[in-house]
């Protein structure tokens, strides 16, 4: 029968047709005997190993029973084929796996009834299920990758409420898959109580919206260790777009979290005091500005700068300075409530940010003022570091702002400006920012630029004011700086010397005065009428302490052959506030070289008789403030008298400045002061005018005595040098 069938089939057009198909195809009769196979069947890789030469006539069911690879495939194939052979159905389909060289291949076997020459047959075909293979491969890849990356994979069936964890999930959570069944509750129990609310919220949000689940939380592992987890999942939805399942992962991000925290700390906190740095402060400030705008409330910035902190660093090593700063930071922190952000800006500068102080400006000012006062008081308390006692003070600049205010940078600048204002007016106090300060700063900045330009353009000039002796007439002059501004005209030194000193430009300008002065002395020495004249030149502390100052003076003295005793340097008592020993050393060095020193503005500073005695001084200059009301104020006379007596007892010269009236000169003469400087005699003027004045003044009756006087002055100077 087989033969007949075969022949009949061979004769049919089926042979050619099935040979054209690329899938392995066989025609099997209802006894299960193979009647016909196409070329693909003969070459079908899955059957190759069975070495079947002739397929026709083979019992196909038995072939499968004998040769199938896996038990599950075998049962299902024979069972499925059995169904169609018993004519229960006309069409069957079954998937099976075929292992080849260690690889799994998936096939789909389908059999359907065909009628050929009035007889029913089965057409059996095999088709490779590549998609399934790909899926399996990618699952395997995922598993390997997940293992390598230490990613825990989980799968939650929402309908069944069934949670599946892979081994890594158990490892991450420090639980044993043998002892624990993964459930939603187990997961919740593992999440850190502080993070549970947001983790559950993220999960529920994903379920309700169908969006991906993304969350970060800490877990407390089975062994108690806390770990940071990054969880994410894809939500699978049904046709109604309702979430039915979540498939996702858990990654342990503890290490990166730690580095992240470290980086955050380094970027936002000061390493010494552990206080926030300016960067963090600015962040908080800009956040608050947004809120301020909504709330219309006033916030405040306090710029706290320690007074004279430099001396702490100068006197002790930096380690001590650091300790002091840490204690200071603690004090500031202790004086404020938790709402305040305290930041260390740099060095001894701290910024306090008080958010939302009050909705009313007046109230806010009052509150901030009392906080400022509290801070000043706290900072003033004695502080002990490594057995050394410190008493610090601070200057505080304050700015108040609400929604209408400018940028964070601007606010910081305002508070800083207000702080500088406090510094200028004596420190250890506080001051609120006022827009006028801004104007002053702009003007100052402009003046600084102008001063730099003035040096380049040589806009400075030296004026001379006569110094007159009661007996000998004009005996010398004081060199006084003048600035001829191209637009503003003549500018007096009081308005630019402080800025020159602050910027250090005084060094260059001062050198010019010294240079021109010494040159002048040389010219005078060549003229009989002027050869006895001395020249007083003002020297500020910055100049005197500048490295190379005495060398520069010595160089000028040599260059212009300045006669010893003709050059007098005027210094003020403020020069002794800092580092008196170093100052004395410079003065002694120059004095031994023949240079004289005059103590200017005497009586206004903190004169200590003790140091007066030890300084190489030649002259005391009574300050003009005592001279001003000399004729009406008895105490001014008493002070002037005391200064004269002091000068006499220490064998110093004495001169009064600011003498504007004859009466003042008379009174001074009565108390024994015979040298004067002031408008009564001569106003500061250009060199030629001063010289003309000197000639005229000295050529009258007093001039006769002057020749003799000059001789005496020279003798006196020689005595001083000795
Ligand atoms: P100072 O050293 O006390 O100079 C005396 C000031 O009093 C001068 O002001 C002078 O013009 C003024 N004066 C003179 N006689 C009278 C008077 O009878 N009545 C009144 N009311 N004032 C009188 P000036 O020239 O404006 O100088 C101001 C200050 O500038 C000087 O005060 C001095 O401290 C500083 N200075 C001037 N030139 C230089 C300089 O070249 N270098 C440095 N470092 N400072 C200088
Ligand atoms: Ca002076
Ligand atoms: Ca003076």
């Amino acid at each position: 029968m087989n033969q007949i069938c075969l022949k009949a089939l061979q004769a049919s057009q089926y042979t050619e047709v099935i040979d054209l198909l690329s899938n392995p195809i066989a025609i099997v009769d209802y006894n299960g005997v193979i009647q016909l196979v196409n070329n693909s069947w003969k070459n079908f890789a899955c059957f190759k190993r069975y070495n079947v030469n002739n397929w026709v006539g083979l019992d196909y069911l038995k072939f499968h029973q004998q040769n199938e690879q896996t038990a599950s495939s075998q049962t299902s194939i024979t069972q499925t084929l059995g169904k169609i052979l018993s004519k229960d159905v006309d069409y069957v389909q079954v998937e099976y796996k075929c292992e080849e060289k260690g690889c799994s291949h998936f096939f789909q076997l389908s059999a359907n009834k065909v009628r050929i020459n009035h007889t029913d047959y089965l057409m059996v075909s095999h088709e490779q299920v590549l998609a399934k293979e790909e899926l399996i491969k990618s699952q395997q890849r995922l598993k390997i990758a997940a293992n390598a990356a230490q990613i825990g994979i989980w799968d939650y069936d929402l309908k069944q409420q069934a949670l599946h964890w892979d081994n890594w999930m158990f490892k991450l959570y420090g639980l044993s898959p043998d002892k624990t069944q993964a459930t939603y509750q187990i997961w919740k129990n593992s999440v850190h109580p502080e993070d549970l609310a947001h983790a559950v919220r993220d999960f529920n949000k994903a379920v309700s919206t169908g969006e991906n689940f993304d969350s970060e939380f800490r877990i407390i592992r089975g062994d108690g260790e806390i770990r940071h987890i990054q969880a994410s999942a894809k939500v699978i939805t049904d046709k109604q777009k309702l979430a039915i399942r979540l498939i996702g992962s858990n990654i342990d991000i503890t290490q990166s979290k730690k580095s992240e925290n470290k980086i955050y700390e380094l970027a936002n906190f000061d390493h010494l005091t552990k206080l926030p740095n300016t960067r963090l402060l600015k962040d908080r400030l800009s956040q608050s500005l947004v809120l301020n705008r909504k709330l219309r409330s006033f916030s405040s910035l306090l710029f706290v700068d320690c007074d004279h902190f430099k001396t702490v660093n100068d006197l002790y090593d930096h380690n001590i300075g650091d300790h002091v700063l840490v204690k200071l930071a603690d004090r500031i922190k202790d004086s404020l409530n938790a709402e305040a952000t305290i930041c260390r800006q740099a060095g001894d500068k701290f910024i306090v940010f008080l958010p939302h102080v009050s909705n009313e400006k007046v109230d806010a000012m009052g509150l901030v003022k009392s906080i400022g006062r509290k801070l000043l008081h706290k900072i003033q308390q004695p502080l002990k570091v490594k057995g050394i006692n410190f008493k610090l003070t601070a200057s505080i600049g304050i700015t108040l702002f609400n929604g209408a205010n400018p940028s964070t940078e601007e606010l910081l600048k305002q508070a800083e400006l207000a702080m500088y204002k406090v510094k200028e007016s004596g420190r250890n106090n506080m001051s609120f920012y006022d827009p006028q300060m801004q104007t002053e700063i702009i003007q100052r900045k402009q003046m600084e630029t102008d001063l730099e330009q003035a040096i380049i353009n040589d806009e400075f000039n030296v004026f001379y004011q006569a110094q007159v002796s009661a007996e000998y007439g004009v005996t010398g002059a004081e060199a006084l700086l003048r600035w001829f501004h191209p637009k503003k005209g003549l500018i007096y030194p009081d308005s630019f010397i402080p800025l020159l000193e602050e910027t250090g430009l005084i060094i260059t300008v001062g050198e010019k005065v010294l240079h021109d002065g010494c040159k002048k002395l040389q010219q005078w020495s060549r003229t009989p009428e002027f050869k006895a004249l001395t020249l007083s030149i003002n020297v500020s502390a910055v100049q005197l302490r500048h490295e190379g100052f005495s060398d520069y003076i010595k160089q000028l003295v040599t260059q212009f052959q300045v006669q010893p005793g003709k050059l007098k340097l005027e210094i003020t008592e403020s020069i002794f506030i800092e580092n008196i020993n170093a100052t004395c050393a410079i003065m002694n060095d120059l004095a031994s070289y023949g240079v004289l020193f005059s103590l200017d503005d005497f009586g206004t500073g903190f004169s200590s008789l003790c140091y007066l005695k030890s300084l190489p001084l030649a002259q005391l200059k009574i300050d003009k403030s005592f001279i001003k009301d000399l004729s009406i104020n008895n105490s001014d006379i008493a002070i002037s008298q005391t200064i004269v007596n002091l000068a006499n007892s220490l064998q110093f010269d004495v001169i009064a400045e600011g003498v504007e009236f004859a009466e003042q000169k008379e009174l001074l003469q009565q108390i024994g002061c015979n040298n004067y400087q002031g408008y009564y005699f001569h106003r500061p003027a250009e060199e030629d005018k001063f010289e003309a004045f000197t000639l005229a003044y000295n050529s009258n009756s007093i001039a006769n005595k002057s020749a003799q006087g000059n001789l005496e002055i020279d003798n006196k100077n020689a005595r001083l040098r000795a």
Side-chain angles (χ1 to χ4, degrees):
M1 163 160 172
N2 283 350
Q3 274 315 98
I4 298 161
C5 289
L6 179 68
K7 271 186 188 151
L9 281 170
Q10 275 173 340
S12 77
Q13 72 267 37
Y14 270 89
T15 320
E16 283 164 36
V17 174
I18 62 173
D19 263 347
L20 287 174
L21 297 172
S22 57
N23 285 351
I25 289 177
I27 304 293
V28 179
D29 70 15
Y30 266 79
N31 294 317
V33 179
I34 296 176
Q35 300 294 327
L36 187 67
V37 294
N38 69 352
N39 283 331
S40 296
W41 187 282
K42 291 172 200 160
N43 299 322
F44 187 27
C46 256
F47 296 156
K48 272 269 158 73
R49 69 185 108 155
Y50 306 125
N51 281 326
V52 181
N53 288 326
N54 189 10
W55 285 90
V56 177
L58 210 82
D59 186 334
Y60 186 48
L61 219 54
K62 269 194 188 145
F63 167 79
H64 267 296
Q65 274 167 357
Q66 286 161 13
N67 296 311
E68 283 310 348
Q69 287 294 301
T70 61
S72 62
S73 293
Q74 187 188 343
T75 359
S76 61
I77 290 177
T78 39
Q79 262 173 13
T80 316
L81 284 173
K83 266 192 221 166
I84 197 165
L85 287 171
S86 60
K87 301 201 170 174
D88 285 348
V89 289
D90 290 344
Y91 174 76
V92 288
Q93 208 174 38
V94 63
E95 241 177 48
Y96 68 92
K97 188 163 78 174
C98 170
E99 299 283 345
E100 197 202 357
K101 292 178 190 156
C103 284
S104 300
H105 296 287
F106 288 85
F107 292 92
Q108 182 164 286
L109 179 154
S110 35
N112 59 311
K113 192 170 91 177
V114 286
R115 204 166 172 79
I116 304 169
N117 293 340
H118 314 292
T119 313
D120 287 340
Y121 295 95
L122 296 178
M123 184 160 87
V124 179
S125 84
H126 296 260
E127 189 175 10
Q128 194 164 7
V129 192
L130 288 169
K132 172 114 181 180
E133 276 174 34
E134 266 318 303
L135 180 68
I136 300 279
K137 270 189 203 155
S138 73
Q139 274 172 349
Q140 278 170 344
R141 277 199 295 267
L142 178 68
K143 202 167 173 183
I144 293 167
N147 254 314
Q150 311 194 337
I151 297 173
I153 304 286
W154 56 275
D155 182 344
Y156 189 45
D157 185 329
L158 288 166
K159 274 192 186 153
Q160 308 292 324
Q161 300 266 300
L163 179 64
H164 173 262
W165 278 4
D166 75 349
N167 279 342
W168 262 110
M169 280 298 286
F170 282 101
K171 258 191 210 165
L172 276 183
Y173 281 69
L175 299 169
S176 155
D178 305 329
K179 292 182 193 144
T180 321
Q181 162 86 41
T183 61
Y184 183 63
Q185 192 54 46
I186 286 283
W187 170 71
K188 281 202 335 192
N189 292 349
S190 303
V191 176
H192 194 291
E194 285 173 18
D195 296 351
L196 185 62
H198 83 249
V200 169
R201 196 175 51 234
D202 292 343
F203 181 84
N204 290 340
K205 189 177 160 222
V207 171
S208 61
T209 60
E211 283 167 13
N212 286 350
F213 167 59
D214 232 319
S215 192
E216 255 184 53
F217 46 83
R218 285 164 298 167
I219 56 164
I220 304 174
R221 281 163 49 93
D223 55 12
E225 200 187 331
I226 294 177
R227 306 238 122 211
H228 289 263
I229 297 290
Q230 184 179 44
S232 52
K234 173 137 189 66
V235 180
I236 316 262
T237 52
D238 60 11
K239 280 180 190 154
Q240 282 82 43
K241 302 254 186 282
L242 289 174
I244 48 168
R245 194 170 156 191
L246 280 88
I247 303 173
S249 62
N250 270 198
I251 306 173
D252 185 337
I253 52 163
T254 313
Q255 210 46 45
S256 67
K257 205 81 199 168
K258 271 187 192 158
S259 332
E260 211 175 86
N261 288 345
K262 189 81 209 153
I263 290 168
Y264 180 80
E265 208 172 274
L266 285 174
N268 293 291
F269 290 86
D270 166 47
H271 69 99
L272 179 68
T273 58
K274 305 285 177 264
L275 288 177
N277 62 14
T278 328
R279 186 196 155 105
L280 185 58
L281 176 93
K282 282 183 189 168
D283 269 4
R284 294 196 184 160
L285 200 55
S286 45
Q287 280 166 19
S288 168
L289 279 182
V290 177
L291 206 63
N292 264 355
R293 250 166 239 144
K294 281 192 195 145
L295 302 176
R296 294 250 125 223
S297 70
F298 283 88
S299 298
S300 181
L301 272 187
L302 285 80
F303 203 111
V304 184
D305 189 300
C306 210
D307 298 330
H308 301 300
F309 191 78
K310 200 178 158 287
T311 34
V312 176
N313 277 336
D314 285 350
L315 290 175
Y316 308 97
D317 71 60
H318 278 250
N319 191 19
I320 301 261
D322 283 356
H323 272 85
V324 174
L325 283 174
V326 171
K327 287 211 168 180
L328 193 68
D330 289 343
R331 281 194 178 178
I332 298 175
K333 236 187 312 187
D334 293 346
S335 320
L336 301 160
N337 64 20
E339 300 244 302
T341 297
I342 303 127
C343 137
R344 178 169 174 232
Q345 198 221 23
D348 57 341
K349 294 176 169 49
F350 297 88
I351 299 165
V352 175
F353 168 45
L354 305 171
H356 320 300
V357 182
S358 170
N359 283 346
E360 297 302 323
K361 190 171 185 181
V362 184
D363 293 349
M365 265 184 114
L367 280 165
V368 174
K369 227 184 227 174
S370 69
I371 292 171
R373 240 180 261 126
K374 194 171 154 192
L375 271 175
L376 287 174
H377 177 75
K378 269 260 171 155
I379 293 170
Q380 271 176 38
Q381 301 311 304
L383 189 151
K384 203 169 188 170
V385 168
K386 298 204 171 162
I388 308 162
N389 284 309
F390 294 94
K391 194 161 175 0
L392 300 170
T393 59
S395 301
I396 305 180
I398 307 170
T399 185
L400 265 191
F401 52 96
N402 70 351
N405 270 286
S407 69
T408 53
E409 292 290 341
E410 199 65 34
L411 290 169
L412 287 168
K413 221 165 76 189
Q414 290 181 357
E416 193 176 7
L417 279 183
M419 182 276 291
Y420 280 121
K421 205 76 201 165
V422 180
K423 295 261 179 204
E424 270 174 28
S425 48
R427 298 159 208 262
N428 190 20
N429 211 336
M430 60 183 163
S431 160
F432 277 84
Y433 168 77
D434 140 18
Q436 176 59 28
M437 292 175 183
Q438 191 82 27
T439 321
E440 280 172 27
I441 290 290
I442 294 168
Q443 284 169 350
R444 220 180 100 111
K445 202 78 214 148
Q446 182 58 49
M447 192 168 199
E448 216 177 298
T449 320
D450 286 359
L451 283 171
E452 281 163 8
Q453 206 52 49
I455 294 175
I456 298 167
N457 297 346
D458 203 13
E459 290 163 13
F460 292 108
N461 228 322
V462 180
F463 270 32
Y464 296 83
Q465 184 180 29
Q467 293 182 334
V468 182
S469 145
E471 286 180 84
Y472 313 114
V474 180
T475 54
E478 179 178 5
L480 293 161
L481 196 60
R482 296 291 178 264
W483 178 15
F484 290 92
H485 191 284
K487 286 189 192 136
K488 295 178 191 158
L490 176 65
I491 303 179
Y492 288 90
D494 278 339
S495 57
F496 64 83
I497 294 272
L499 193 55
L500 281 181
E501 288 176 342
E502 268 172 53
T503 52
L505 293 172
I506 189 71
I507 305 296
T508 318
V509 180
E511 282 181 356
K512 177 204 155 59
V513 179
L514 287 162
H515 176 273
D516 291 3
C518 289
K519 198 171 165 190
K520 192 84 249 172
L521 277 173
Q522 188 183 41
Q523 286 171 9
W524 286 343
S525 72
R526 291 169 182 161
T527 316
E529 291 88 348
F530 303 134
K531 63 183 280 201
L533 293 178
T534 60
L535 183 62
S536 296
I537 297 181
N538 295 287
V539 171
S540 37
V542 190
Q543 285 175 274
L544 190 93
R545 272 195 285 274
H546 185 249
E547 213 187 303
F549 176 75
S550 51
D551 287 345
Y552 184 70
I553 299 283
K554 288 177 196 170
Q555 181 218 311
L556 290 176
V557 167
T558 316
Q559 184 184 348
F560 296 108
Q561 295 165 314
V562 174
Q563 292 171 36
K566 292 285 183 282
L567 175 62
K568 209 181 276 176
L569 299 183
E570 287 197 8
I571 51 166
T572 58
E573 291 153 291
S574 65
I575 226 161
F576 305 112
I577 291 176
E578 276 177 51
N579 221 341
I580 182 156
N581 291 339
T583 310
C584 276
I586 298 167
M587 286 174 68
N588 280 323
D589 180 36
L590 285 171
S592 67
Y593 211 70
V595 176
L596 304 182
F597 284 97
S598 172
L599 196 51
D600 203 355
D601 303 341
F602 191 71
T604 57
F606 71 110
S607 318
S608 151
L609 297 179
C610 212
Y611 76 70
L612 269 189
K613 209 173 61 182
S614 58
L615 290 174
L617 291 173
Q619 186 181 61
L620 296 184
K621 202 169 189 184
I622 308 172
D623 188 64
K624 52 181 172 286
S625 60
F626 304 115
I627 310 303
K628 194 166 161 266
D629 298 326
L630 206 61
S631 49
I632 50 168
N633 193 329
N634 282 340
S635 56
D636 282 346
I637 296 188
I639 291 169
S640 303
Q641 177 72 74
T642 310
I643 297 174
V644 172
N645 293 347
L646 185 67
N648 287 341
S649 66
L650 291 166
Q651 292 195 308
F652 297 157
D653 249 354
V654 64
I655 184 170
E657 67 176 357
V659 181
E660 296 184 357
F661 307 103
E663 207 183 349
Q664 292 166 331
K665 186 235 159 193
E666 295 306 326
L667 281 166
L668 283 163
Q669 200 167 7
Q670 279 168 29
I671 59 169
C673 175
N674 299 315
N675 297 301
Y676 323 100
Q677 186 181 331
Y679 299 165
Y680 172 65
F681 300 96
H682 176 239
R683 281 182 182 256
E686 289 90 342
E687 52 189 65
D688 49 344
K689 286 189 184 145
F690 161 74
E691 285 164 6
F693 167 78
T694 304
L695 282 180
Y697 194 91
N698 287 356
S699 63
N700 67 25
S701 58
I702 305 163
N704 298 330
K705 292 187 203 165
S706 107
Q708 187 196 344
N710 284 340
L711 194 72
E712 278 184 21
I713 291 169
D714 277 351
N715 286 343
K716 189 171 179 187
N717 288 340
R719 208 172 57 235
L720 270 166
R721 281 194 307 281

